[in-house]
Amino acid sequence: MAAPTTRVVRDDLRVLFDAAVHAVSAEVTMLRALPLATHGRTVVVAVGKAAAAMMAVAQARSPKPLEGVIVTRYGHLPPEGTSWPGVEVIEAGHPYPDERSVAAATKVLDIAHGLDAGDRLLLLLSGGGSALLAAPAAGLTLDDKQGVTRALLQSGATIAEINCVRKHLSAIKGGRLAVAAGAAQVTTWIISDVPGDDPSFVSSGPTVADTTSLAEARDIIAEYGVQTSPQIAAILADPANETPAADSLGLAGVETRVIARARDALVAAASQAGEFGYQVMDLGDQLQAEARHLGASHAALARRLAKDGTPRAILSGGETTVTVVNKTGRGGRNLEYLLGLAIALDGAPKISALACDTDGIDGTEDAAGAVVTPDTLIRAAALGLDARAHLDRNNAYDFFEKLGDLVVTGPTLTNVNDFRAILIEGDRA
C-alpha cells in the first residue's frame, strides 16, 4: 500500500519519534507491583534522566508513601514539579559530573549504609547516572573525574568503554552501591540506554556486578590516547581498585530487571510506520559507529532501496560516537549523523530522515535532534551554509538551527538512546 499523498513526510517522522518515546515511558513500562519490604522499610532511589517520572509512577502504584531520593539532570523534572514527603530531589551535572553529582552520590551511599536486614533498596535506574552519581575513588578529585570523562566523550570511545573506565574510578559504580546496602534486599529496575542492554553498563551499574577489569580500563585509556592525571594512573594500576566480584558481599543475590529498551521503541515506531503505509526495514537497536560515517552508509542504503518506488521506513537505534576536533563546536551525535546523511544523499528525491535522542537532548544543546529533507542542501546553500564545513568543525547544531530543522521536545523523562528513521516516499498512489 502506498503512503497517502496527503500526508506530510516531515510530520510522519515526528509521529514515529513520539510513538517510540511513549512506548518506553515510565508510565508504560514500570511494573504494576512494587517489590516492597515485608519486615522493614522500602527506600526508593531514582537515578537518571527518567528518575522523576519513574518515582512518580512508583508513588502512584505503591499502597503507601515511599521515602527516598531523586537524582536527575538539571531541567529533567516534570513541569508540575515533585512533592512527595520524605523524597529529596537533587539535580546534578550531565554529561560532566559536578559538585551536586558528588553530593548526590554521598546521599545515596548514606541511604544504602543505613539499611538493615529486612529493608529493601529499590533502585529505579535510567541513563545519565554515570555523571549524576559521582563518588571519586579514594585519592581522586572531582576535577580528575571531569577531565577523564570529557576526554573520553570527545575521543570517539563507545559508551561501554567509557563506563568501564568510570567504574574503576568510582566508589559507587560497578556494584559498589549494592555492597554498601549490606544485608538489605536490593532490587533494580532499569530503562536501558546502552546497546545490548547489559545492565552492568547502564549508568555504570551501581548495583550490578562488573564484568570488566582494571586492565581493560587501562587499555581503553591507551587506545584513545587519553591524557590522565598521575592520580588516575595510580588508581587504575592498583589491584585494590578492582570492582567487586559477583559472588562477593551479597552481589550474587541482587535482583535486576530491564523494563524498557531501544527495541521496544523501534517496535512501536515500526507499528506506526506500517499503519502509515510504509514497508519497514529494521536495522536493529545496537548500531555503534562514528555518527557521520553511519549517516553516509544509511544514505547509500536509502538511495538503493528508493529505486523500486516502494514507500519504506528504515529504522534503527543504538549509540553512535563523535570524534571531536573542534572543542567549541555545537552539536551531538544525532545531528552529525544527519549531516553526514544529508551530504551523502545530495538532494536525492523522496528521502527524508529524523534522528533524535529519546531523552530529548542530543549532546549538550537544547534539541533532541533534527530532520533532513530532499531540499536540505538547497536551502542551506541559499543561506550560505556549507554543509561539509559545518560537519568538519563539529557544528551540526548551528547548521540545522539556521535551517529551522531542529527537533526541540524538551526533556522527555525517559531515555533508551538514539532513534533514527529514514522515510522513502516511493511512488504515490
Side-chain angles (χ1 to χ4, degrees), residues 96-152:
Y96 308 117
D98 62 9
E99 294 289 352
R100 297 289 292 165
S101 305
V102 176
T106 300
K107 173 69 176 181
V108 171
L109 284 170
D110 286 346
I111 288 173
H113 285 302
L115 296 173
D116 297 320
D119 292 339
R120 183 184 295 275
L121 174 65
L122 173 58
L123 178 63
L124 304 177
L125 193 64
S126 53
S130 293
L132 297 169
L133 291 181
L140 293 186
T141 66
L142 177 59
D143 285 344
D144 291 326
K145 293 292 292 287
Q146 289 171 328
V148 73
T149 299
R150 182 172 288 103
L152 285 167

Side-chain angles (χ1 to χ4, degrees), residues 240-256:
N241 293 311
E242 196 58 87
T243 46
D247 59 355
S248 68
L249 299 172
L251 269 178
V254 172
E255 177 191 356
T256 303

